Amino acid sequence: MTMDYYPALSPIRTGLACKCPRCGGGKLFSGFLNVRESCSQCGLDLRGHDAGDGPAIFIIFILGFIVVPMALWVEMTYMPPLWLHAVLWFPTIIGVTLALLRPLKGLMVALQYRHRSTSEQD
């Protein structure tokens, strides 16, 4: 049985691209947020990788840091009615959340692989 050599890939690059953390070629997800059982390219077992709530927490902090000051600035500058705030910020928050959730989950899985936090790797 031969062992294939896989160079160390950047977990940031592979994670944000939602690719396999070992080979960088196979897709990481089978659905929107479901991690595949194994990589289609290199066969890496991905079942032990679980990002948990980490990506959601990071998104809450990122959105809080960006949206709250913007909403306060809009309120102080234009004083729009509350319904306009809801129309403006609700789609922004949902859109940014959906755009960031998958890449951040991929990043967490890639970091788990890089730091060997699951029992069976390589």
Side-chain angles (χ1 to χ4, degrees):
M1 216 162 99
T2 62
M3 297 279 299
D4 292 329
Y5 171 74
Y6 295 101
L9 299 174
S10 166
I12 295 172
R13 182 173 291 164
T14 58
L16 293 179
C18 300
K19 298 293 184 179
C20 172
R22 180 165 70 178
C23 69
K27 292 182 180 179
L28 187 60
F29 298 106
S30 61
F32 183 66
L33 289 175
N34 294 330
V35 178
R36 290 184 179 274
E37 289 192 14
S38 64
C39 175
S40 60
Q41 302 288 321
C42 68
L44 174 66
D45 184 14
L46 296 167
R47 289 177 290 180
H49 296 281
D50 182 25
D53 292 333
I57 299 296
F58 286 124
I59 290 172
I60 289 170
F61 286 134
I62 291 168
L63 284 175
F65 184 73
I66 294 170
V67 171
V68 170
M70 288 175 60
L72 289 172
W73 177 78
V74 168
E75 176 62 31
M76 294 302 176
T77 305
Y78 302 108
M79 294 184 196
L82 289 178
W83 66 267
L84 190 58
H85 275 293
V87 168
L88 182 66
W89 300 116
F90 184 73
T92 302
I93 291 169
I94 295 298
V96 172
T97 299
L98 292 176
L100 289 179
L101 196 55
R102 188 175 162 124
L104 287 180
K105 185 169 183 173
L107 177 62
M108 295 289 282
V109 169
L111 287 170
Q112 284 178 357
Y113 173 78
R114 177 69 173 264
H115 297 289
R116 312 275 188 218
S117 67
T118 58
S119 60
E120 293 185 32
Q121 294 180 3
D122 294 335

